[in-house]
Amino acid sequence: MEKIKLIWDFRGPDAAKIAEHHEIHLKEYIQIEKTSVNITGYMILNEVYAIAYMVVEKNEMIPVRDALKPHRGEIYTE
């Protein structure tokens, strides 16, 4: 099954801390909703830009997208 990486972008001097904290909420969502994939993370891209992400199966993408409102998504390749 194809997987989608949902991404939230954070900008500004607190971007890294916000992205790290956002990942906690993504993990909570996975536990509550029992999604089939439990891949999350965050990346600090520079001092004012970071992302948090969550990977979902393609068939779960629309309900998760509607509930969590990511900024963008891309095909997940391992």
Side-chain angles (χ1 to χ4, degrees):
M1 171 74 60
E2 190 172 47
K3 294 180 178 80
I4 307 294
K5 183 178 183 179
L6 302 174
I7 302 168
W8 291 262
D9 299 293
F10 301 100
R11 291 180 169 78
D14 295 327
K17 290 180 184 178
I18 295 169
E20 183 179 8
H21 182 77
H22 193 72
E23 183 192 14
I24 294 167
H25 294 295
L26 296 175
K27 288 179 179 183
E28 290 171 348
Y29 181 86
I30 288 170
Q31 286 182 335
I32 292 166
E33 297 297 324
K34 299 180 182 6
T35 60
S36 60
V37 180
N38 63 354
I39 300 170
T40 64
Y42 70 96
M43 293 175 51
I44 301 167
L45 301 172
N46 64 44
E47 61 277 352
V48 293
Y49 181 44
I51 65 169
Y53 63 88
M54 172 184 183
V55 178
V56 297
E57 296 280 350
K58 188 174 183 177
N59 64 340
E60 297 176 317
M61 189 274 298
I62 291 176
V64 174
R65 179 201 67 194
D66 291 350
L68 301 180
K69 305 207 181 337
H71 297 127
R72 57 194 172 96
E74 60 187 41
I75 303 297
Y76 177 72
T77 56
E78 299 177 42

